[in-house]
DNA sequence: TACGTGTGATACCCACCGGGTATGACAGGG
DNA sequence: CCCTGTCATACCCGGTGGGTATCACACGTA
């Protein structure tokens, strides 16, 4: 048959990501031989070879790469189904199954917008409960896909809206956040070229999907740490305008003339059918 | 655990669609008792009741409805993963795994556009093979989702682009296709109100997702049948401009002034990473 | 009221297979 | 040449998915 059980998918994903049966088995909490066998069975059932076993580890075939991508989406969809079903069945509170909406927002972004949105929505007559899920830099997409979130605030061009429905909420420019004492802090405006290679002030590096881009700047783990490093004159960063809200006295904000505008969207999985979600979207677009 | 196996999803979908354990079991090719038990286990594992067992049959709870929708998406994603992996692994032809692109098109639409697209793409230096998949009225979305197709030509407002990436290719008006002898066939133009209730010429009904909308007109199974019925003066239909290509001598086409324009898009799953697909899209947008 | 009918649930059994352990085959590196 | 690290094979066992037979129950209906 062509059924492709989720267990097999999980196994294959582990092997495809580790490229090593032993480590994959360990990650899966099982022994290596059954894992080998399961992958062999999967390959036989699909009629396709997914891995090339070299002497010394394995590597993916073309079909394996396809299954890695498509399987990720499929696994996310099934865990999303499980999570959302669990939440929908939230054990009988009075008033029937209250479906809480999970809203994913980048931790350090859109404070005012979020505040306005939550206030406006809470004032709606039949407002559902909204749980705000703080998320990392690019995590909202993943959270929407695997069902941890039902709706998210996203920021192009940092987030990709591919695969989601969305409505634009606002657009803003970007600023360079510098130590207040730095010479450039006195400027009226800067260009990306200006801030790209300040010799004594490297650009801070945020993790993207768990890894840091290369560069001379410090690796940033959270916003407070970044604020401190900027205040200490050790680094600088580029942020949307609305980041002014959390700047310190030791910081200076200088507009960037040629940075692409940051557009905030509200985004949700395209097949959503929830009334609460529809209400939230309506509220958001009316802000 | 929170794992939610594919088998369980299949079982639940069957029961949720049939709303009857016996019929669902029959559809699944198994006996009823194991199915009952499997659903019970699923409910216990999720900690949620999915079905309400009434004295005569069953009906869905709120959580059950959620799982029905989310589970459909998840199942489609897994079968898509299987199908695309199989195709990607197409047994070693010379020149490596030739990935054929599966292009879903509404059977009776966009003849010229499709012709132009295929010709232009075939002229590209590294063109992949393209297999054209004829599909029903609204079937392209489903085919993209479950992996039968990699890319599709879609027509808003008939198709929904939700959940796909897409590029607009062309827009056209709509026409009323009438029997040549009918009084209205002589008119220069018509409005929707004009054709909505012609007493002796009811609007033909196409199936949408397998079911026919209500109305007095005949139920249409394929385009030839429709063409015949129109030629016989028994019905009429509304089509995009490009349908003029296949009209018979016994047909008359009259522009509709107030019908919403039909926009043809090329659409594909948002996470696609295929070079061949990228080439086809590039070709299409340059037409 | 009693019985037939159709529903899903329960009881029990068996075979299959998913998982474990032990071991093999094989290629590199010191 | 052996040691190491890799994945594959061999074999065993327990859990469980699936089958059959039957139950419990609600509803018509005579």
């Amino acid at each position: 048959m062509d059924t492709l059980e989720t267990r097999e998918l999980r196994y294959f994903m582990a092997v495809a990501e580790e490229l090593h049966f032993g480590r994959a088995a360990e990650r899966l909490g099982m022994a290596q031989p059954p894992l080998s066998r399961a992958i062999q069975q999967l390959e036989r059932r699909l009629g396709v070879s997914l891995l090339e076993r070299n002497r010394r580890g394995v590597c993916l075939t073309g079909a394996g790469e396809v299954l890695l991508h498509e399987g990720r989406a499929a696994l996310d969809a099934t865990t999303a189904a499980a999570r959302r079903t669990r939440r929908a069945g939230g054990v009988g509170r009075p008033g029937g199954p209250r479906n809480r909406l999970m809203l994913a927002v980048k931790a350090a972004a859109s404070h005012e917008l979020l505040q306005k949105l939550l206030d406006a929505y809470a004032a709606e007559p039949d407002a559902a409960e909204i749980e705000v899920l703080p998320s990392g830099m690019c995590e909202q997409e993943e959270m929407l896909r695997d069902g941890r979130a039902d709706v998210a605030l996203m920021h192009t061009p940092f987030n990709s809206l591919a695969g989601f429905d969305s409505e634009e909420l606002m657009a803003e420019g970007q600023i360079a956040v510098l130590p207040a004492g730095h010479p450039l802090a006195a400027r009226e405006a800067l260009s990306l070229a200006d801030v790209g290679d300040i010799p004594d002030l490297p650009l801070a590096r945020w993790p993207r999907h768990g890894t840091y881009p290369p560069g001379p700047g410090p690796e940033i783990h959270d916003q407070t740490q970044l604020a401190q490093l900027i205040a200490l004159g050790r680094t600088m960063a580029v942020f949307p305008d609305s980041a002014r809200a959390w700047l310190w006295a030791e910081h200076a904000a200088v507009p960037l003339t040629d940075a692409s505008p940051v557009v905030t969207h509200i985004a949700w999985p395209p097949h959503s059918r929830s009334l609460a979600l529809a209400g939230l979207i309506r509220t958001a677009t009316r802000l």
Side-chain angles (χ1 to χ4, degrees), chain A:
Chain A
M1 287 301 284
D2 60 81
T3 161
L4 200 60
E5 288 298 317
T6 55
R7 180 178 49 82
E8 301 177 293
L9 261 183
R10 272 205 323 275
Y11 289 2
F12 174 75
M13 303 299 289
V15 176
E17 283 171 12
E18 299 283 349
L19 291 178
H20 188 289
F21 278 79
R23 282 195 298 274
E26 187 182 11
R27 196 171 106 181
L28 292 166
M30 66 187 291
Q32 169 257 321
L35 178 58
S36 280
R37 200 180 49 182
I39 300 291
Q40 286 174 343
Q41 284 176 357
L42 176 61
E43 287 179 305
R44 234 174 320 138
R45 285 235 319 274
L46 288 175
V48 160
S49 109
L50 300 169
L51 299 163
E52 249 163 52
R53 281 83 162 167
N54 304 336
R55 309 296 169 208
R56 219 134 208 101
V58 288
C59 63
L60 288 171
T61 65
E65 305 226 13
V66 170
L67 186 56
L68 179 59
H69 287 114
E70 300 276 333
R72 166 62 51 211
L75 274 186
D76 281 350
T78 57
T79 71
R83 266 198 261 258
R84 298 211 169 100
T85 303
R86 275 216 185 83
R87 284 217 308 278
V91 201
R93 253 158 280 180
R98 215 67 220 107
N99 48 347
R100 233 188 327 207
L101 273 183
M102 311 297 263
L103 170 64
V105 295
K106 208 167 296 182
S110 312
H111 266 302
E112 316 93 82
L113 180 68
L114 179 59
Q115 196 64 55
K116 276 199 296 182
L117 174 58
L118 292 179
D119 289 348
Y121 182 67
E124 292 276 314
D126 53 352
E129 222 174 308
I130 295 208
E131 181 130 351
V132 176
L133 297 168
S135 69
M137 280 303 279
C138 291
E139 213 181 355
Q140 295 114 309
E141 306 163 45
E142 196 187 330
M143 296 180 83
L144 275 189
R145 254 188 282 273
D146 71 11
R148 278 174 294 172
D150 301 308
V151 55
L153 292 184
M154 293 200 185
H155 308 272
T156 56
F158 306 120
N159 294 119
S160 156
L161 297 172
F164 303 113
D165 280 1
S166 64
E167 290 283 347
E168 183 174 332
L169 297 186
M170 63 177 264
E172 52 189 329
Q174 296 198 63
I175 55 175
V177 180
L178 306 164
H182 195 274
L184 286 180
R187 297 270 287 271
E188 282 298 310
L190 291 168
S191 73
L192 283 176
D194 290 333
V195 303
D197 55 345
I198 311 177
D200 56 338
L201 209 59
L203 198 58
R205 289 179 293 141
W206 287 93
R208 282 258 197 282
H209 302 119
T211 63
Y212 288 87
E219 300 188 345
I220 300 302
H221 296 97
D222 61 66
Q223 185 199 332
T224 314
Q225 177 201 7
L226 173 63
Q228 235 165 17
L229 287 176
I230 295 177
L232 293 171
R234 311 297 276 284
T235 188
M236 59 149 298
V238 172
F239 270 96
D241 265 342
S242 55
R244 293 177 190 269
W246 53 263
L247 293 191
W248 298 2
E250 296 94 329
H251 295 158
V254 181
L256 285 167
T257 52
D258 57 350
S260 68
V262 174
V263 184
T264 304
H265 292 79
I266 185 168
W268 61 95
H271 53 80
S272 301
R273 290 264 171 273
S274 143
L275 281 176
L277 175 58
L280 181 66
I281 294 164
R282 189 162 21 86
T283 304
T285 52
R286 283 179 185 168
L287 278 184

